[in-house]
């Protein structure tokens, strides 16, 4: 995958790699804390192993600043769907280091994911967020042109 860079922002987007774990974990912990999710360390370790497994459906991109520091990440899941023959991409997690917010990191991650999907023939990229997450919704509305009107229901098992 190409490593696009925004020269004005110095942001480079690329797949997460084995050497990124130490930088990724604190961001993951902050993301979980934002959503008030108490994620067991075993789950985090399993997620990391899955991200490193090229055959697993969960993938990740990271945004790096000019000095190479990870500024944010997105985790995504490719899966088949019943309304088309192309795989679709669920953008499950998107997080930007609070010190880097407002600098185009989230947009750069989404833009790269969409470019990747177009290049690989995916049918769509989709995601959801909390209704009250106004900051994220402003970004999402500008990127996607607004929500699509669906309401999510969950049965915890």
């Amino acid at each position: 995958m190409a490593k696009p860079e925004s020269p004005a922002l110095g942001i480079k987007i690329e797949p997460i790699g084995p050497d990124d774990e130490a930088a990724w974990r604190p961001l993951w912990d902050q993301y979980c804390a934002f959503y008030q999710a108490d994620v067991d360390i075993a789950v985090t370790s399993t997620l990391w192993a899955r991200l490193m497994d090229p055959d697993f459906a969960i993938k990740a991109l990271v945004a790096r600043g000019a000095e190479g520091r990870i500024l944010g990440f997105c985790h995504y899941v490719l899966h088949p769907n019943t309304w088309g023959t192309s795989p679709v991409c669920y953008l499950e997690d998107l997080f930007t280091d609070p010190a880097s917010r407002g600098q185009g990191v989230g947009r750069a991650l989404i833009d790269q994911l969409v470019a990747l999907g177009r290049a690989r023939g995916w049918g769509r990229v989709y995601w959801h967020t909390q209704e009250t997450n106004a900051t994220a919704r402003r970004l999402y509305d500008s990127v996607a042109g607004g929500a699509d009107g669906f309401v999510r229901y969950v049965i915890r098992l």
Side-chain angles (χ1 to χ4, degrees), residues 17-79:
D19 295 337
D20 294 328
E21 184 176 11
W24 168 85
R25 279 193 185 244
L27 294 176
W28 170 249
D29 290 343
Q30 290 177 61
Y31 175 77
C32 293
F34 175 83
Y35 280 109
Q36 299 175 349
D38 185 18
V39 177
D40 188 273
I41 189 69
V43 173
T44 296
S45 295
T46 298
L47 171 57
W48 180 256
R50 288 174 172 172
L51 292 174
M52 294 300 103
D53 181 347
D55 297 324
F56 204 80
I58 299 174
K59 308 291 182 201
L61 297 174
V62 293
R64 295 186 192 281
E67 73 293 340
R69 185 175 71 85
I70 295 178
L71 307 176
F73 66 80
C74 72
H75 301 148
Y76 60 98
V77 180
L78 295 175
H79 64 88

Side-chain angles (χ1 to χ4, degrees), residues 58-128:
I58 299 174
K59 308 291 182 201
L61 297 174
V62 293
R64 295 186 192 281
E67 73 293 340
R69 185 175 71 85
I70 295 178
L71 307 176
F73 66 80
C74 72
H75 301 148
Y76 60 98
V77 180
L78 295 175
H79 64 88
N81 73 99
T82 60
W83 291 7
T85 57
S86 299
V88 296
C89 177
Y90 172 52
L91 171 53
E92 187 160 3
D93 308 310
L94 177 69
F95 186 76
T96 299
D97 182 342
S100 301
R101 294 203 179 130
Q103 298 177 27
V105 174
R107 179 178 299 276
L109 284 161
I110 293 171
D111 287 349
Q112 176 58 19
L113 190 60
V114 168
L116 184 62
R118 285 190 175 121
R120 295 187 178 170
W122 303 343
R124 68 179 180 271
V125 175
Y126 69 101
W127 62 91
H128 65 268

